[in-house]
Amino acid sequence: MAVNHWTEEQIQEFLDGKSSISKNSLEEHLKSCEACTKSFRYYQNLYSELIRDPGFKLSTDFARNLVSRIPQLAQARARFKFSDVFIGSVGIAALLGVMIFFIDFSIIAETVAKFSFSSLKADVQDWLRNSLSSLNGGVLLIGSSVLTLLVTATLDRLLSGPKYR
Amino acid sequence: MTETGKLVKLILSGDAQAFETLIEEHKPLVSHVVFRMIPNPQDREDISQEVFIKVYQNLSDFRFEAKLSTWIAQIAYNLAINYLRQKKMISLDDLELADDSEGHLVAENIQPDKKVEEKDISQRLKTEIDNLPVQFRVIVTLFHLDQMSYNEIGKILNLPEGTVKSYLFRARKLLKDRLLSKYQVEDIWQ
């Protein structure tokens, strides 16, 4: 008769306490199966070795030494925050500069003066078309896109915090 | 507020004693990750210090979405990975284990060694853990020494839970097979 041995994965799951198979059915099987008993014991021994203290020791005054550096750390923390704000501000200023330089404000002023709800859609379309055509070629368009990405990334960094990747 | 929440609040208000408490509580976890990953004993202490410096500098960004221990272990793992990359001790292949890597790992170092005494097994196991791929080492350590769940380990290593489980099973099978074939420990483990 063919014997259904436990797989090594099933044995590990059982020892991890994550198996759906009951302890009784395991014990029943082990009574009659030498191969599974051997495998089970090997893993049992391995598990008891793996939880032994590996003796990884940091120096005894490790915590005290670090705490004595707190004033320096606090200063570094303040500098870190300042640099974030500084980078963000520069990014936003650069983007605004590009927008102010390339957008034709006379068209906006004209549009505002002629504003009426009925012609809003057409006005917006005209304005977009004129504004985009006033950009001097694709290079400038790409440049402003890159700046937009820079600002977005900076804002993400400021708002979401460091991710340690 | 939880104990962790109170501790974090105290540290942020500048309480040095609270930071010392945090270091003492998490020193074993950080040493487990760093010592398992960094082969050079001189650099281990420096990297562990760097971990707690990062923790201190970025504690205000900790959002309590994960356990504090998970967050600290994640910092330790990422700093250690960066160190290994800088020293060219790790490549992308080491982090993205191919399906056939297990076969390669089993095939190497399979020459039987002399029989070992029971007291030697811990040392042999330590050597064999050091021979595992870096992610296997960290997963085995966090699961067995720090009793972390698949989910927590996944957050630390940035891996899906299923991958953590699969790597853990493969790592333990490798360790068992190597100890049996290389050191003939079956007499002791009967």
Side-chain angles (χ1 to χ4, degrees):
Chain A
M1 191 179 80
V3 181
N4 288 325
H5 292 296
W6 276 41
T7 63
E8 298 198 33
E9 195 165 318
Q10 282 175 312
I11 291 172
Q12 289 192 42
E13 270 183 352
F14 183 84
L15 289 168
D16 286 340
K18 296 181 191 303
S19 174
S20 54
I21 302 164
S22 72
K23 196 180 171 191
N24 284 347
S25 75
L26 170 83
E27 282 171 350
E28 271 309 302
H29 179 71
L30 293 185
K31 272 182 203 166
S32 58
C33 181
E34 201 183 328
C36 287
T37 304
K38 253 188 174 181
S39 189
F40 185 78
R41 285 199 184 142
Y42 291 155
Y43 275 112
Q44 251 185 337
N45 282 297
L46 177 67
Y47 274 53
S48 14
E49 287 295 332
L50 285 172
I51 56 167
R52 280 198 195 188
D53 180 7
F56 299 153
K57 296 281 179 281
L58 290 164
S59 57
T60 44
D61 51 359
F62 178 83
R64 211 168 311 124
N65 282 344
L66 264 174
V67 170
S68 69
R69 293 173 61 189
I70 280 185
Q72 287 168 274
L73 300 180
Q75 223 177 353
R77 184 163 65 181
R79 271 203 303 275
F80 174 75
K81 294 297 175 198
F82 175 75
S83 69
D84 265 4
V85 173
F86 180 74
I87 292 167
S89 309
V90 168
I92 292 165
L95 181 67
L96 287 174
V98 168
M99 286 170 68
I100 289 165
F101 187 79
F102 289 110
I103 290 174
D104 188 347
F105 283 99
S106 62
I107 295 169
I108 298 172
E110 207 178 311
T111 310
V112 170
K114 288 194 294 184
F115 180 80
S116 75
F117 280 107
S118 57
S119 61
L120 182 62
K121 192 179 169 190
D123 287 345
V124 168
Q125 282 172 342
D126 281 350
W127 175 75
L128 274 174
R129 202 168 20 249
N130 290 330
S131 298
L132 287 173
S133 65
S134 70
L135 287 174
N136 186 16
V139 177
L140 294 172
L141 191 63
I142 291 167
S144 59
S145 306
V146 169
L147 276 168
T148 310
L149 282 173
L150 175 74
V151 171
T152 313
T154 309
L155 286 174
D156 175 62
R157 185 177 159 81
L158 284 170
L159 298 173
S160 314
K163 293 183 175 63
Y164 304 104
R165 290 279 160 241
Chain B
M1 191 184 275
T2 61
E3 287 302 309
T4 308
K6 283 179 199 162
L7 187 68
V8 169
K9 202 177 164 192
L10 282 171
I11 297 168
L12 290 175
S13 69
D15 188 330
Q17 187 61 45
F19 184 48
E20 193 170 339
T21 306
L22 178 140
I23 297 171
E24 289 298 347
E25 278 177 10
H26 294 89
K27 212 166 70 169
L29 170 66
V30 169
S31 71
H32 290 162
V33 175
V34 173
F35 280 56
R36 275 280 189 249
M37 293 177 75
I38 307 296
N40 186 354
Q42 283 86 42
D43 292 336
R44 290 169 172 170
E45 183 111 354
D46 289 346
I47 292 168
S48 302
Q49 278 197 16
E50 215 182 310
V51 171
F52 286 107
I53 290 170
K54 283 256 180 213
V55 168
Y56 185 81
Q57 289 176 331
N58 296 291
L59 199 59
S60 57
D61 296 318
F62 176 62
R63 298 276 176 260
F64 296 92
E65 286 158 1
K67 282 185 187 173
L68 183 62
S69 55
T70 308
W71 186 69
I72 293 174
Q74 191 184 19
I75 293 173
Y77 176 77
N78 288 327
L79 278 175
I81 285 285
N82 287 342
Y83 166 92
L84 294 173
R85 279 187 182 139
Q86 277 167 12
K87 301 274 176 187
K88 304 202 185 312
M89 290 173 170
I90 194 169
S91 65
L92 196 63
D93 290 345
D94 293 320
L95 291 175
E96 293 173 2
L97 297 163
D99 285 342
D100 63 348
S101 62
E102 193 178 329
H104 166 70
L105 291 166
V106 171
E108 64 178 3
N109 297 331
I110 208 78
Q111 292 302 313
D113 205 344
K114 61 181 183 186
K115 275 198 175 245
V116 293
E117 301 285 325
E118 190 165 1
K119 62 180 174 5
D120 295 334
I121 294 180
S122 293
Q123 189 50 46
R124 305 279 173 174
L125 178 64
K126 199 165 171 282
T127 308
E128 288 310 323
I129 291 175
D130 288 342
N131 288 333
L132 290 174
V134 67
Q135 288 183 323
F136 282 19
R137 270 182 263 157
V138 179
I139 290 172
V140 164
T141 305
L142 291 175
F143 188 84
H144 287 281
L145 281 179
D146 299 293
Q147 283 87 47
M148 285 195 168
S149 66
Y150 300 145
N151 181 273
E152 287 168 314
I153 298 172
K155 281 181 185 159
I156 294 163
L157 276 72
N158 198 26
L159 289 173
E161 255 185 79
T163 308
V164 171
K165 188 179 169 185
S166 154
Y167 283 7
L168 180 63
F169 284 7
R170 286 165 64 186
R172 287 185 299 218
K173 180 170 162 44
L174 278 169
L175 290 173
K176 185 211 73 168
D177 290 345
R178 282 177 176 181
L179 286 171
L180 287 173
S181 59
K182 201 173 166 188
Y183 305 116
Q184 303 170 347
V185 297
E186 62 262 44
D187 291 342
I188 300 167
W189 277 7
Q190 279 295 335

